[in-house]
Amino acid sequence: MGISNETVRRIFSHLESGSGDAFFRHVADDVDWTVQGTHPLAGRYRSKQDFHAHTFARLNRVLPGGTQLHVESVLTDGDWAVVELRSHATAMNGMRFDNRYCWVMRFANAVIVEVRAYLDSALVQELIDENEG
């Protein structure tokens, strides 16, 4: 049957409202999540726990209000969805972190099992350089 736009938007509404835990209930424990790029968060993560620890948890330490992700568009085809997101966050040092993302995801029974995430690597590098350590 595949995943519907409505289901994807409902799952992502948790991120938009700041409820990361509710969003991650829709992510498989053994998700295969690749963050593209050459920045400190880039890499391939083979579990939800590993992905969260190396990305969202790290970002939350430098973005006091969180990543503040908002869905701009959703495209679905079968078990696949493409979601364009934007963030309008502010870092600890006052730097604006207005990034754009594109997540290409595969679902199984409305659970995210694979993700390829694309984003502005230079902006992430700047955020980390200016706000960590």
Side-chain angles (χ1 to χ4, degrees), residues 20-21 24 27-29 31 33 35 40-62 128 132:
D21 289 344
F24 279 102
V27 176
D29 289 339
V31 68
W33 198 310
V35 179
L41 306 181
R44 188 169 187 186
Y45 304 99
R46 301 295 183 126
S47 72
K48 175 171 44 179
Q49 181 181 11
D50 193 30
F51 168 75
H52 190 272
H54 289 96
T55 60
F56 272 74
R58 191 170 179 185
L59 286 171
N60 286 339
R61 288 193 295 270
V62 297
I128 299 296
E132 275 190 351

Side-chain angles (χ1 to χ4, degrees), residues 4 6 8 23 25 54 63 101 122 124:
S4 70
E6 295 77 22
V8 173
F23 170 81
R25 282 196 289 273
H54 289 96
L63 298 170
Y101 306 84
V124 172

Side-chain angles (χ1 to χ4, degrees), residues 2-126:
I3 192 79
S4 70
N5 281 20
E6 295 77 22
T7 300
V8 173
R9 286 187 180 277
R10 183 174 30 79
I11 291 169
F12 274 80
S13 70
H14 300 298
L15 281 182
E16 291 182 315
S17 67
S19 181
D21 289 344
F23 170 81
F24 279 102
R25 282 196 289 273
H26 298 277
V27 176
D29 289 339
D30 62 347
V31 68
D32 183 355
W33 198 310
T34 302
V35 179
Q36 305 291 339
T38 57
H39 53 85
L41 306 181
R44 188 169 187 186
Y45 304 99
R46 301 295 183 126
S47 72
K48 175 171 44 179
Q49 181 181 11
D50 193 30
F51 168 75
H52 190 272
H54 289 96
T55 60
F56 272 74
R58 191 170 179 185
L59 286 171
N60 286 339
R61 288 193 295 270
V62 297
L63 298 170
T67 53
Q68 300 181 24
L69 294 171
H70 302 279
V71 173
E72 291 195 325
S73 63
V74 174
L75 301 169
T76 57
D77 184 17
D79 291 332
W80 289 88
V82 176
V83 178
E84 289 183 304
L85 302 143
R86 63 178 165 79
S87 67
H88 290 294
T90 303
M92 291 172 26
N93 70 346
M95 172 191 164
R96 292 296 306 158
F97 186 69
D98 299 336
N99 210 334
R100 293 192 177 270
Y101 306 84
C102 182
W103 292 1
V104 179
M105 298 169 291
R106 186 170 56 87
F107 286 79
N109 300 316
V111 174
I112 300 166
V113 296
E114 181 182 350
V115 180
R116 290 187 308 272
Y118 302 87
L119 54 122
D120 183 340
S121 289
L123 188 59
V124 172
Q125 186 69 58
E126 182 181 358

